[in-house]
Amino acid sequence: MPNARATHLTRRGILAAGGALGLGAALTACGDDDAKSGGSDDKAAAPSGPWSFKDDRGTTVKLDKVPTSIVAFTGVAAALHDYGVQVKGVFGPTTTKDGKPDVQAGDLDVDKVTVLGNEWGKLNVEKYATLAPELLVTTTFDTAGTLWSVPEDSKDKVAKLAPSVAISVFDRQLTQPLQRMWELAESLGADMKAKKVTDAKAAFEKAAARLRAAAKAKPEIRVLAGSASAELFYVSGTNLSVDLEYFKALGVNFVEPSEDAKKATGGWFESLSWENVDKYPADVIIMDDRASTIQPADITEGTWKQLPAVKAGQVIARSPEPILSYDKCTPLLDNLAEAIENAKKVG
């Protein structure tokens, strides 16, 4: 599953197939499939020059100048912010009920962006239009290129207002979308040679080496990726999810849902009743950290509290929709490495 939220949304039938969204003909010319598939045509584009970028749907967006009126899914906006690219508007979980930045907002100054929808699947089209958008940027979690969090019932209206770029986080390791976001930020004028940026990438590589070493030193430690709702506990499979696929490639020993369960959910996850939450032995549990899910400290189910990993205090957070900057992904690696380094075999 791409993430526990994606899992839940797939379960509810929210993620729709049906192809990539069309681009507004008056705003962009598309279909230059001869552009390099690895990134933009002009990564060092000046603010006054033409701009183009080939996204992970194979769609090339071309504009007369580098876009500055950008609207993005909150997590994407947070990644671009880390590279110095600012957006005008965001859609997706941005602030919590108490007005604080949502976990997916990263270091965004949420008071300086226009929030077009503060939850998944909400985007106020009329408000979006007032921003005179030049570009919409989000991710995609399927092969059809469905734009993440763009409402199905208004996607055509959204497409007519500005072209879109999608970075795929489906069935690939974390390093791939990280590189693509890097390329997009660079094309939008970010200084990728800035010390903050290069230091962050170096720290990510160091953290990856640490996680690889931790997994190699303790191959017996079994890690389960979970997500909690009031009714069910979800166990994520490692295939399809950018973070779990990468952690697995580094050697982390993950608990995998049964094949029958994965077939029933498109390969993403298995849903368990709280009475059966102990189905899979685990030494470390990494839990979905998004506001839409129940956090470990708030789980009241007695069966959860009796899990060996829970009793041992071997539960950490997981970000199923990671902010795709090296700065924000480094802690994900370090935290899991530390958990494995300190874990006792309890499962």
Side-chain angles (χ1 to χ4, degrees):
M1 92 181 183
N3 57 63
R5 175 198 288 272
T7 292
H8 299 167
L9 293 171
T10 301
R11 176 175 63 89
R12 297 170 185 164
I14 293 178
L15 286 181
L21 297 181
L23 301 179
L27 295 173
T28 182
C30 305
D32 182 4
D33 292 329
D34 294 328
K36 294 178 68 176
S37 60
S40 69
D41 293 341
D42 185 3
K43 294 183 179 181
S48 59
W51 180 85
S52 68
F53 189 86
K54 187 172 184 179
D55 76 359
D56 292 337
R57 298 170 298 176
T59 298
T60 299
V61 177
K62 293 182 178 181
L63 298 171
D64 292 337
K65 63 182 180 65
V66 177
T68 56
S69 183
I70 302 170
V71 170
F73 178 72
T74 302
V76 171
L80 292 175
H81 172 83
D82 285 349
Y83 293 128
V85 177
Q86 306 307 321
V87 305
K88 289 180 85 173
V90 297
F91 57 99
T94 307
T95 59
T96 58
K97 293 180 180 179
D98 58 6
K100 295 180 180 179
D102 186 271
V103 65
Q104 294 190 66
D107 292 332
L108 271 180
D109 187 336
V110 295
D111 294 325
K112 292 185 178 180
V113 293
T114 300
V115 181
L116 304 173
N118 196 29
E119 60 182 287
W120 189 92
K122 299 293 184 181
L123 196 164
N124 186 314
V125 179
E126 290 74 21
K127 200 172 182 180
Y128 176 53
T130 66
L131 297 178
E134 298 171 326
L135 183 70
L136 180 145
V137 189
T138 187
T139 52
T140 182
F141 279 89
D142 59 27
T143 56
T146 306
L147 297 179
W148 186 241
S149 198
V150 172
E152 178 69 18
D153 60 359
S154 59
K155 66 178 184 179
D156 293 336
K157 293 179 181 179
V158 170
K160 290 178 181 178
L161 291 169
S164 60
V165 161
I167 301 297
S168 178
V169 287
F170 176 72
D171 194 17
R172 60 197 61 201
Q173 295 181 23
L174 180 60
T175 47
Q176 291 176 270
L178 272 172
Q179 178 61 28
R180 295 293 284 136
M181 191 65 70
W182 173 290
E183 293 167 359
L184 176 61
E186 187 174 35
S187 79
L188 293 169
D191 180 4
M192 311 313 284
K193 294 182 180 179
K195 187 175 187 302
K196 177 183 178 181
V197 174
T198 57
D199 284 354
K201 189 171 185 179
F204 176 87
E205 293 167 352
K206 182 178 179 181
R210 178 185 179 186
L211 180 54
R212 187 188 297 276
K216 184 176 182 180
K218 288 190 171 182
E220 74 280 5
I221 297 300
R222 298 188 53 167
V223 178
L224 183 147
S227 182
S229 72
E231 300 84 14
L232 298 168
F233 182 79
Y234 302 89
V235 178
S236 302
T238 57
N239 292 336
L240 308 180
S241 300
V242 290
D243 61 331
L244 301 185
E245 283 201 13
Y246 184 52
F247 300 158
K248 183 178 180 180
L250 292 174
V252 176
N253 179 15
F254 277 102
V255 172
E256 296 285 357
S258 70
E259 289 302 317
D260 287 342
K262 287 194 291 185
K263 287 179 182 178
T265 59
W268 296 111
F269 68 99
E270 178 175 0
S271 56
L272 301 173
S273 67
W274 283 104
E275 290 76 16
N276 295 315
V277 73
D278 61 351
K279 179 177 178 178
Y280 298 107
D283 306 295
V284 172
I285 300 175
I286 58 176
M287 289 290 291
D288 188 337
D289 66 356
R290 289 166 300 176
S292 57
T293 65
I294 301 176
Q295 297 306 299
D298 299 320
I299 299 176
T300 59
E301 299 290 340
T303 48
W304 163 261
K305 295 180 179 179
Q306 292 305 309
L307 292 177
V310 176
K311 293 172 71 174
Q314 296 177 176
V315 179
I316 66 169
R318 174 199 172 204
S319 297
E321 288 182 66
I323 294 172
L324 297 172
S325 72
Y326 289 104
D327 181 70
K328 295 301 181 290
C329 287
T330 295
L332 309 182
L333 297 166
D334 276 329
N335 292 344
L336 182 53
E338 181 179 16
I340 294 174
E341 290 164 354
N342 296 331
K344 297 178 181 178
K345 184 68 179 173
V346 295

